Every structure is written in structure tokens, then in C-alpha cells.
Amino acid sequence: MDIDMVEISKALSNETRLNIIKWLKDPEGNFPPQGGCLSEPVDLKGGVCVSSIQAKANLSPSTVSNYLDTLQRAGLLLSERHGKWTYYRRNEAVIQELAEYIKNEL
Amino acid sequence: MDIDMVEISKALSNETRLNIIKWLKDPEGNFPPQGGCLSEPVDLKGGVCVSSIQAKANLSPSTVSNYLDTLQRAGLLLSERHGKWTYYRRNEAVIQELAEYIKNEL
DNA sequence: TTTACATATTGACAATTTCCGAAATGTATG
DNA sequence: CATACATTTCGGAAATTGTCAATATGTAAA
């Protein structure tokens, strides 16, 4: 898996998208408990649903959905759907790869 | 000295600007010998003048000058004027700070 | 000091990005 | 099935960025 630096940089060049990534570093600290009304308990792995992120970002749902998509296409986030909700979480591997890339290749 | 992640990301979110940073990693390998017709020899510290970069980037002088300014304002490059020429070189400290920031804070 | 050259700045226009509301798509529940 | 809700997609107005040619500035050489 290689780093698309332009794509990633574009994804990071927006205050709100940057905040989303940082907020997801501490999901319990930054968002209400997730998992809502799911009947079967699933492992959300620290994922947070779009509406929780939207509430914190204070932007329209469509904008936040777009931002999350941008971050995911850049590889920085992972998403998983459970019922009505899509849970987004950090892709730590890619974030560390990015740090390594900048340290050694940039 | 703190990292303005949005500013830096914007600077890096362009193929040519990214290339300029990479080219400057190996100035001797990527550019003709610098120092040109300077009477007094000065230490260019690996700096490369705008016209050498412009020739390699194959964009207009004004565009390249702008790009270099963008990279410098983001802190990624340093510039030094000697005679008619402005020599740009990487700011390795900031680049390493950026890598650390992504590794630990992002 | 006149000229030539390296670089920077300005003004313009096209292309892209931001961000929203409206509409569409999934999915669970009554 | 009909409804409600979470999310995504679409279409567009406003803001930003990419890029150039033209102009300005700074410096060295004639």
C-alpha cells in the first residue's frame, strides 16, 4: 500500500477534516457512547457514527458525509456499516505510514 | 515553533510543489551546479535558484515563484538571496517536526 | 547610468473545492 | 407495506486555487 501524498494532503488541508481525525483519536472522550439501539452487540472498534460527528462538527450532514468520504478515500479513515449507521474510525496503519513517508521519503 | 497543519497540507497538496520538495532532497542530482557567476563564493547549503527549479518544473516563472513562496510560508523551505539569485532549500527541521507531529499528535 | 537579467507581484480567467439544501437510498420498526 | 431515520448523492452558488502574461523591482555588468 503506497501513500498518495497529494490525495492525503488535500484531505488534511481543511480544519474540520483535521479535527475529525483528531477527535477520533479519543472516541470515548469526544463523542457520546456509540452502538445506539443495535440489537446484536457488535464490536465498533472505536468507530463513531456520522450523526455524532456531524453534531460535533456543526456542519450539515451532507458536508460531514462528504468529508468522511474524502478522508476515507485518502485512506485515513475506515468505515463499517451496522444497521442504519455507518461507523468511521481512524486507519492507524495509514497514519503511521504517512508519518514514516514524510520522515524518510518526502 | 508549532506546526500549522492546514497551511502545510495545502502547500503539499499539489504535485509540482511536492516534486520541488523531493527534488531539493538531492540538489546535485536534480539540478545543474549552482553558484553561477557569483564573484565571491558563498555557501549555498544545497540551495537552488528559481530558474533552475522553473526549468525542471516546466511551468512559468511566476507560477514557480508563487509555489516556492507557498512552500516557504508553510515553513517547508528556506530562501536566501545572493546577488540576482534567490536560492531555496529544504527546511529539514520543519519536515522532521511534521513527521513527528503526524506520528504523535495527528 | 543604461542595460540586461533573476525574481516577485499583479490582474485575469479557468478549474477546482467548499458547503448547502433537496432528493435519493438503505434499513429497521410499526 | 408504510413510515421514520441515518446516510449518501446530486446540483448549484460562492470561495479558493492554478496558471499565465504583463508589469514591477532589485541587482550586476557594460
Side-chain angles (χ1 to χ4, degrees), chain A residues 10 14 17 59-60 62-63 66-67 81 83-84:
Chain A
K10 282 184 186 171
N14 170 286
R17 286 193 299 261
L59 289 169
S60 77
S62 61
T63 298
N66 253 312
Y67 282 2
R81 181 143 199 167
K84 295 196 275 190

Side-chain angles (χ1 to χ4, degrees), chain B residues 63-105:
Chain B
T63 298
V64 172
S65 184
N66 251 314
Y67 282 2
L68 292 168
D69 187 51
T70 298
L71 288 166
Q72 184 181 17
R73 280 200 321 272
L76 296 164
L77 296 185
L78 295 168
S79 76
E80 212 164 311
R81 183 144 199 167
H82 290 285
K84 295 196 275 190
W85 295 274
T86 306
Y87 295 90
Y88 284 88
R89 64 182 195 278
R90 291 159 55 97
N91 191 339
E92 300 292 354
V94 168
I95 294 171
Q96 288 312 309
E97 260 184 82
L98 174 62
E100 284 300 304
Y101 179 85
I102 290 170
K103 187 185 178 81
N104 302 314
E105 317 286 335

Side-chain angles (χ1 to χ4, degrees), chain B residues 17-52:
Chain B
R17 285 193 299 260
L18 217 37
N19 282 332
I20 290 173
I21 298 233
K22 288 185 196 161
W23 293 335
L24 288 174
K25 243 195 142 171
D26 177 18
E28 285 78 15
N30 287 304
F31 300 99
Q34 301 291 308
C37 347
L38 290 176
S39 36
E40 301 182 29
V42 288
D43 182 9
L44 300 175
K45 304 177 194 98
V48 176
C49 71
V50 179
S51 25
S52 293

